[in-house]
Amino acid sequence: MTGTNLLSVADLGPDGIAEVLRLADRFVEVSSRPIPKVPALRGKTVASVFFEDSTRTRLSFETAARRLSADVLTFSAGSSSLNKGESLRDTVGTLEAMGVDALVVRHRSSGVPWQVARWARRAAVVNGGDGWHEHPTQALLDCYTVGVERRARGLRPGLSGLRVGIVGDVRHSRVARSDVLAFGALGAEVTLVAPPTLLPPSLDGWGVAVSHDLDSLLGELDVVYLLRLQRERMTEALLPSLREYTAEYGLTRRRAARLAPDTLVMHPGPVNRGVEVDSDVVDASVITHQVANGVAVRMAVLFWLLGAGSAAGAPPGPHEAADPAAVALPGGGSDDARALA
Amino acid sequence: MPERSPEPLVVRGGTVLDAGGSRRADVVVAGGVVVAVGSRVDPPPGAIELDATGCVVAPGLVDLHTHLREPGREEAETVETGARAAALGGYTAVVAMPNTDPAIDSAALVAAVRELGRRAPVEVAVAGAITVGREGTRLAPMAEMARLGVRLFTDDGRGVQDARLMRRALEYASGLGVTLAEHCEDEALAAGGQMHEGPWSSRLGIAGQPAEAEELMVMRDIALCRLTGARLHLLHLSTSGSLALLRAAKAGGLPITAEAAPHHFTLTDEAVASFDPVFKVNPPLRGAADVDALKFALADGTLDAIATDHAPHPAEAKELPFDEAPPGMLGLETALALALSELDCPIETVLSLLSWQPARIAGLTATQGGPVEPGRSANLCVIDPAARWTVDPDRSASRSRNTPYAGRELTGRVRHTVAAGEAVVVDGEALR
């Protein structure tokens, strides 16, 4: 299975997610090497096109691309011609004219990666997070992290049947929307835990349960996924105060003590310590592991889109046969590749 | 209306259909008026022959809701290009909305747009703003605009938010014999909503505006209509709840009329899943149940008119991110065909919704909406109800291309349009 774009988790389906996660396993191993680099995408160019500040996601994608030996172009709105009135479409055209193979797009408006995908003639488009809508690579790395962390604890690594609580501002969260799709596709039972003002107006078709009472769920959850709370929500009459939010929905030390010992505490970052989660709970969480896994998962996504066997790579062939960690260089030898690796 | 002395013409072989019914007849037009209707007419020598075999010959269509963008947004549309698109769509009159830049909120601006309209291929009536600058704080000089012939006033694009001001506007308007037309949207509740609030907005992560943002203002305006007794027209109703309120208000005998736009009875909010801003419009595309309710209300007479809300935008504006792009869609060249293709009602009903009923609401019955009989202004459209065609944005006469129907196949096409006695569209081609 290969793709031309990764816009939504729904583009992958359960099999696609599983395949990306399998690839990620290989790339975790690459990242642990003394020289964490393979030539899989040598000659390819990946542009990170970030219209919204996001240092961590951008660095994660760029690191992933470099570890695959791709060239990296960085476009950020602050330093770009967008300030000179250039349209989004012209920006895409300009980058494509430079021979870019993949555009990793982040924008504060929902749907921009879909617009970019319509305009792009040959580059693959990766959604690096759009508005409140989706953040598919975050969801993939979250699924990956759950599997790895559970395996490390001697638990069944599959997500099927796991009880996942996603806590907080689901309404404005692209992470929540993608996680619901990904966790759901892999068979987890997801409960959204939030005051009604921080839930989307409709959950038709989401296949999730809803709770307004975190305390009643604590002992039952395999994963507690905390969402970041933006401070401006207080001014939109969605919440009376941060203090009240923390009292009702924060993962305080007292609440964390009631979690089962193997429950994973996750957060997409950046964390508001003391708001969504108490500081020492952060330190016992798997949040930094999520970040580390992010690089491997994004390597998997870029390889899936651009590597041997992908729609953009040549020659097409059965993808399962390609070993990304020792892939042959185009026109070169695999010995060379192993030497580099 | 253009003052010209067009050549005489005869519309041959069609079925004349107006509010009085239908009959096989040829129509002879000379000096801007219909001079004969019958099976054995005797056109003057040299009259232009317009073939109407298999076609319906109807009073020209009247659009209550056209954004011509002039002055201020000429890169999107001008009076001339918008009027040409109207003629191609079978319209012989359009009401130009006042949300221009500057807004049409004074006699001078009314006169300026009317002057532009004088050179246009179809009649251009001008709506005036209810409040100065459409800012919703002070009444615009409605009397001086009414003296120039303005019959509809609206702050369209926005509703008048202040109930007290709207009450006063209705009272003042009733003394002038003019109609206020309200864009029903409670801005506090709609707050930033870029599409209909529901399962799709939730899934797509786009801020929605609930149906209730429209319905609250419909409710308020019905109450103010009852309070003042003034005539009120409700623009582009889009929800089943609004229609229920309208139905009850009409049953209570209030002087209320209302329109619906073609996109609201042919498209749903699911279209936004493409994130293409061509599907962004205000009021937003609603759910399937609302579409069904609108179709029913058009067929049963609850709604009085189909109005396009023709809202041109240049390509670059519709290439912005969805939440930054301006709302609005083209409508003049597709409204009739959409109504004929999608509504489950006879062509007589479709034409009443597109021609004589809106002519009455706009106060244009002297020249528009028929009947087709000797002595009346010759504003006619000739429709081939069986013709199938595919919408091609690049063939639009509008300066803009933002139709949501690109590639859609429709049934029913305008063959000829005669405006003020002049053939302005012949065989689907605009002549001016």
Side-chain angles (χ1 to χ4, degrees), chain B residues 186-199:
Chain B
D186 180 308
E187 290 176 6
L189 190 59
Q194 308 293 323
M195 67 177 293
H196 175 58
E197 180 179 301

Side-chain angles (χ1 to χ4, degrees), chain B residues 281-312:
Chain B
V281 66
N282 195 25
L285 300 178
R286 306 287 187 182
D290 297 304
V291 167
D292 291 343
L294 283 170
K295 287 181 170 181
F296 186 83
L298 286 163
D300 84 346
T302 302
L303 287 165
D304 301 278
I306 295 168
T308 65
D309 197 3
H310 178 84

